[in-house]
Amino acid sequence: TLMQGQLDPASTPPPPADPPFSLPGKSDADTWWANNGPDPSNYYRDHIKIPPKDTTPPTIPTGLKAVAVSDTSVKLTWIASTDNVKVSYYIIWRAVGSDPNRMLFLGTSKTTKYIDRSVISNTSYTYAVNAVDTAGPMIGEGNGSARSLPVTVKTSKPTTFRPTDINQDGKVDQLDFSLVVSSFGKTGKSLGRVDVNQDGIVNELDFSLVIQDFGK
């Protein structure tokens, strides 16, 4: 009986036309020839069991929940999928805008929870997850389930606001810019938040501060 990797004295080299490695197809065990060094007559063989390829995907994750734990983070939880071999990990998806049919890869998790810290305050996000089994070592390999039903959550408003968030809705955007435009040139001590730098006049400096924070 040969041990794995043991030199077989009775073996002979394969025909010259054979590649350095050949794995003849057999139902239960295959002979694997490998060139062992520069001497073409020095070969060894292993008898290895080739398991059948797993083609069964995991079940679809269910019970997906999304909770805004702060104005800049969302926690996702779901019920574990099952698989005929083993669930390896889950892929988390986030919708482009509000369209649940357009999902972008967000990350992976080996557990049934995930925290998204790439969100901004006072904004709605839609998520879905799917399960992948152990058929492949790389992200995207293996058998993947269909995506779960999507869920949508809206992050909270921040407890503190940027000076450039003039209307205090949690983000610096076109509305804040418009408020500065509508008060441009005004002076006084009671201009309020449109006088971003509180220097007594709404001018180019206030514009530049809003533009600097635009989108935050």
Side-chain angles (χ1 to χ4, degrees):
T1 301
L2 288 176
M3 299 295 291
Q4 186 178 33
Q6 179 182 340
L7 181 66
D8 182 5
S11 65
T12 56
D18 283 358
F21 294 89
S22 63
L23 191 61
K26 293 184 180 180
S27 59
D28 55 354
D30 295 311
T31 300
W32 188 355
W33 291 88
N35 189 346
N36 185 25
D39 182 357
S41 65
N42 190 13
Y43 282 80
Y44 64 88
R45 64 186 178 186
D46 294 335
H47 291 281
I48 58 174
K49 182 75 173 180
I50 307 298
K53 181 175 176 59
D54 176 20
T55 59
T56 303
T59 59
I60 301 172
T62 58
L64 178 62
K65 296 180 180 179
V67 177
V69 294
S70 74
D71 61 313
T72 56
S73 63
V74 171
K75 182 178 181 179
L76 303 173
T77 58
W78 58 91
I79 298 172
S81 298
T82 59
D83 186 67
N84 63 318
V85 180
K86 181 182 178 181
V87 174
S88 181
Y89 59 91
Y90 297 88
I91 299 178
I92 295 86
W93 304 88
R94 194 172 75 188
V96 178
S98 59
D99 186 355
N101 295 315
R102 297 181 62 205
M103 292 278 187
L104 293 178
F105 170 81
L106 184 61
T108 64
S109 175
K110 291 187 176 181
T111 67
T112 56
K113 62 183 179 180
Y114 182 86
I115 296 180
D116 180 9
R117 294 186 173 88
S118 65
V119 298
I120 60 176
S121 59
N122 199 35
T123 304
S124 295
Y125 295 92
T126 299
Y127 299 90
V129 298
N130 75 292
V132 182
D133 65 16
T134 57
M138 304 296 291
I139 294 175
E141 292 186 347
N143 302 302
S145 72
R147 286 199 290 259
S148 67
L149 293 175
V151 295
T152 300
V153 64
K154 185 174 183 179
T155 53
S156 59
K157 292 183 179 181
T159 55
T160 58
F161 300 94
R162 296 174 182 271
T164 49
D165 183 10
I166 296 168
N167 64 349
Q168 296 189 341
D169 65 349
K171 53 188 174 182
V172 181
D173 55 14
Q174 187 64 41
L175 292 176
D176 303 296
F177 191 83
S178 298
L179 290 171
V180 176
V181 170
S182 63
S183 297
F184 190 81
K186 291 183 179 181
T187 60
K189 295 182 179 181
S190 58
L191 293 170
R193 296 179 61 84
V194 291
D195 183 12
V196 179
N197 62 351
Q198 297 295 303
D199 64 351
I201 182 171
V202 181
N203 56 14
E204 291 85 354
L205 290 176
D206 302 296
F207 270 123
S208 64
L209 290 171
V210 173
I211 292 172
Q212 180 178 324
D213 286 348
F214 198 86
K216 294 182 179 179

